[in-house]
Amino acid sequence: MSQKQTLIRGTAILTLTSFCTRFIGFFYRIFLSHTFGEENVGLYQLVFPVYALGFSLSCAGVQLALSRCVARHTACGEVDKAKELLKTSLLFTFTLSCIIAVFLQHHSATISTVLLHDARCTSLLILLSYAFPFASIHSCICGYSLGLMGTKIPAVSQLIEQTFRVLFVFLVYLYADKQGISVSIVLAVAGLAAGEIFASLYSLMAIYGITFRIPSPALSVHSFLIHFQELFKHALPLTTSRVLLNILQSAEAVSIPLCLQYYGLSVSESLKIYGVLTGMALPCILFPSAITNAVSSMLLPTVAEMQAAQHQKNLRSVIVRVTCYCIFLGSAFGVLLLLSGKWLGIFLFHSELAGQFILTLSWICPFLYTNTVLLSMVNGLGKTFFSFFANFISLCIRIAGVFLFIPQFGILGYLIGLLVSQIVLFSLCLLRLNFYLHT
């Protein structure tokens, strides 16, 4: 199978899987809201920034770095080194995630009261900590599989994680309800950990059957240090970028309503606007990103493999074509949302304000969808520090949109800052890729 066919096939599989998991998650959220109430669901959502931050620190950057390094070594015929990279990443991320889990358990009360401003999150954070070690195993094996251009393990494990999360919560709730036992939203966090456990067990069994059927030499300390240095060089800027993004998202969650009050709105009005923007308009805008996220997952190892094999002509063709396709896709969805945004807001959410936000955010689609793919290609070329720099500039503009523009122009100031940040990120990535292709 050619690289083009592999890329298209893998993208199709990951896109279908992403849509399936989002579909399951949609009804799961309805079940949670009906079972536990909106306040408890809000409490459940409150711990997600902590989960995202812990995941970013422990394994998110390593997963992408592993995917690139495995693709390069495989292209050069160095299969044993690719296996050693997987072992190195598993050992490092599992150890680091265990340290993060222990830290979270010992400081859950402080984090709940000081950062999350709700002491009820303490028990949720303690239970959440058990998901990190299994998430590290799951993510590393998925990164290794994508580096080999394989999508079966990432796709199936994603479905298993989402399915067992929902089944665990639903079955335990039915049993408790039958026995007359009351359950709290802690059950949803337990389901999150259960999903990661089942996904990691499947990933371990699958990768053992595919990669380690033929025994390979044990990983020596010297090999571990060499491979760790290679992974760390690529993972550090990626991890830093992800952590900054999570910190920004957490700061936005707190600062947007506060800055709207500086603009002159009441507490209830500011929370209403923030809820409509983040809970209705943005999910609608981001739904088609399942396609570009799948493309980016397959592109990173593809670009790295072409670079290692010095197939410059094919690499140039892939970069140009995929960029044009994503711009066209984003523009098409942008026009669609521009024409139907107000109707979607009223039809889906019974909110005219949501329709106005969708209409305004439709202009961001060509840049938002393309940037995910551009960053993946930049990382695939090994330019991870540039990726960090571009993300950092974009994040600074978004922060300015929150703290400088919102008090002056209201929520429109944030939307303008968001659009400008995506345009700047788009321009920086295009310039970097164009420079690479011409040199």
Side-chain angles (χ1 to χ4, degrees):
M1 187 180 295
S2 66
Q3 286 180 323
K4 181 180 178 180
Q5 292 174 324
T6 303
L7 180 61
I8 295 174
R9 179 175 177 271
T11 299
I13 293 173
L14 293 179
T15 300
L16 180 62
T17 303
S18 181
F19 278 129
C20 288
T21 55
R22 292 187 184 203
F23 186 76
I24 296 172
F26 176 75
F27 289 99
Y28 180 56
R29 292 299 177 91
I30 295 176
F31 167 75
L32 291 179
S33 63
H34 289 172
T35 304
F36 300 104
E38 293 179 353
E39 182 181 358
N40 285 317
V41 173
L43 201 66
Y44 172 64
Q45 288 293 121
L46 203 57
V47 302
F48 265 89
V50 178
Y51 177 70
L53 182 60
F55 181 78
S56 297
L57 284 171
S58 60
C59 51
V62 175
Q63 178 183 355
L64 295 175
L66 178 64
S67 180
R68 180 184 186 276
C69 294
V70 166
R72 286 183 60 84
H73 284 295
T74 304
C76 298
E78 300 170 341
V79 180
D80 288 338
K81 287 188 177 181
K83 293 180 181 180
E84 290 180 349
L85 277 167
L86 173 61
K87 295 177 182 178
T88 301
S89 64
L90 283 172
L91 181 60
F92 170 70
T93 57
F94 184 79
T95 303
L96 182 59
S97 60
C98 287
I99 294 173
I100 293 174
V102 172
F103 175 85
L104 189 59
Q105 290 174 10
H106 282 79
H107 297 85
S108 57
T110 304
I111 294 172
S112 299
T113 54
V114 176
L115 297 181
L116 303 181
H117 304 288
D118 198 318
R120 293 175 295 176
C121 293
T122 301
S123 58
L124 275 66
L125 290 177
I126 292 175
L127 196 55
L128 181 69
S129 65
Y130 293 102
F132 289 119
F134 299 99
S136 67
I137 296 173
H138 178 203
S139 66
C140 286
I141 294 177
C142 286
Y144 175 79
S145 301
L146 290 172
L148 297 176
M149 302 301 292
T151 54
K152 179 182 177 181
I153 293 178
V156 175
S157 64
Q158 187 179 359
L159 283 174
I160 288 176
E161 190 272 332
Q162 184 78 309
T163 302
F164 275 92
R165 178 198 300 189
V166 175
L167 279 178
F168 177 85
V169 175
F170 184 68
L171 293 177
V172 172
Y173 170 76
L174 287 181
Y175 175 80
D177 185 60
K178 186 177 181 179
Q179 299 296 322
I181 304 172
S182 61
V183 292
S184 67
I185 196 64
V186 173
L187 178 61
V189 181
L192 184 68
E196 289 292 354
I197 291 172
F198 281 104
S200 64
L201 290 177
Y202 163 77
S203 300
L204 282 171
M205 291 187 294
I207 203 65
Y208 182 81
I210 294 175
T211 302
F212 297 104
R213 286 176 296 184
I214 302 175
S216 57
L219 183 67
S220 64
V221 176
H222 179 68
S223 297
F224 172 82
L225 293 176
I226 292 176
H227 294 311
F228 175 76
Q229 183 179 6
E230 181 182 1
L231 284 172
F232 186 77
K233 180 179 66 174
H234 297 290
L236 178 61
L238 293 171
T239 301
T240 306
S241 179
R242 293 289 289 268
V243 169
L244 276 177
L245 180 61
N246 288 322
I247 292 175
L248 172 67
Q249 291 171 340
S250 301
E252 282 180 336
V254 177
S255 303
I256 291 178
L258 182 62
C259 291
L260 285 172
Q261 294 172 40
Y262 292 152
Y263 177 65
L265 300 180
S266 65
V267 175
S268 60
E269 288 175 333
S270 62
L271 289 175
K272 176 186 175 182
I273 290 176
Y274 177 71
V276 171
L277 174 63
T278 58
M280 300 179 187
L282 279 176
C284 187
I285 294 292
L286 293 173
F287 188 80
S289 64
I291 301 174
T292 53
N293 288 342
V295 174
S296 65
S297 296
M298 294 299 300
L299 264 181
L300 192 150
T302 300
V303 169
E305 183 179 343
M306 287 181 175
Q307 185 190 41
Q310 296 184 354
H311 294 162
Q312 299 300 325
K313 185 177 180 180
N314 292 339
L315 180 58
R316 180 193 301 269
S317 176
V318 167
I319 292 175
V320 173
R321 288 187 178 185
V322 172
T323 302
C324 292
Y325 289 154
C326 289
I327 293 175
F328 173 78
L329 178 68
S331 300
F333 277 110
V335 171
L336 180 63
L337 293 172
L338 192 63
L339 296 175
S340 61
K342 289 186 177 181
W343 177 81
L344 284 173
I346 297 174
F347 178 75
L348 295 177
F349 308 111
H350 307 288
S351 171
E352 292 185 5
L353 184 61
Q356 294 174 9
F357 285 158
I358 294 173
L359 190 65
T360 305
L361 288 168
S362 62
W363 296 99
I364 205 175
C365 290
F367 308 104
L368 183 65
Y369 298 162
T370 309
N371 284 343
T372 304
V373 175
L374 292 178
L375 285 171
S376 180
M377 290 190 287
V378 170
N379 290 327
L381 293 173
K383 313 302 179 183
T384 50
F385 279 99
F386 179 84
S387 173
F388 164 71
F389 168 76
N391 268 321
F392 179 76
I393 297 298
S394 176
L395 296 179
C396 288
I397 296 173
R398 288 177 59 179
I399 293 174
V402 174
F403 291 102
L404 298 180
F405 301 157
I406 290 181
Q408 296 295 324
F409 308 105
I411 196 63
L412 181 62
Y414 173 70
L415 299 180
I416 293 173
L418 188 62
L419 175 60
V420 172
S421 71
Q422 292 298 318
I423 293 175
V424 170
L425 182 60
F426 175 83
S427 302
L428 289 173
C429 290
L430 274 187
L431 288 173
R432 187 63 186 88
L433 290 172
N434 182 68
F435 177 77
Y436 174 82
L437 291 177
H438 285 83
T439 56

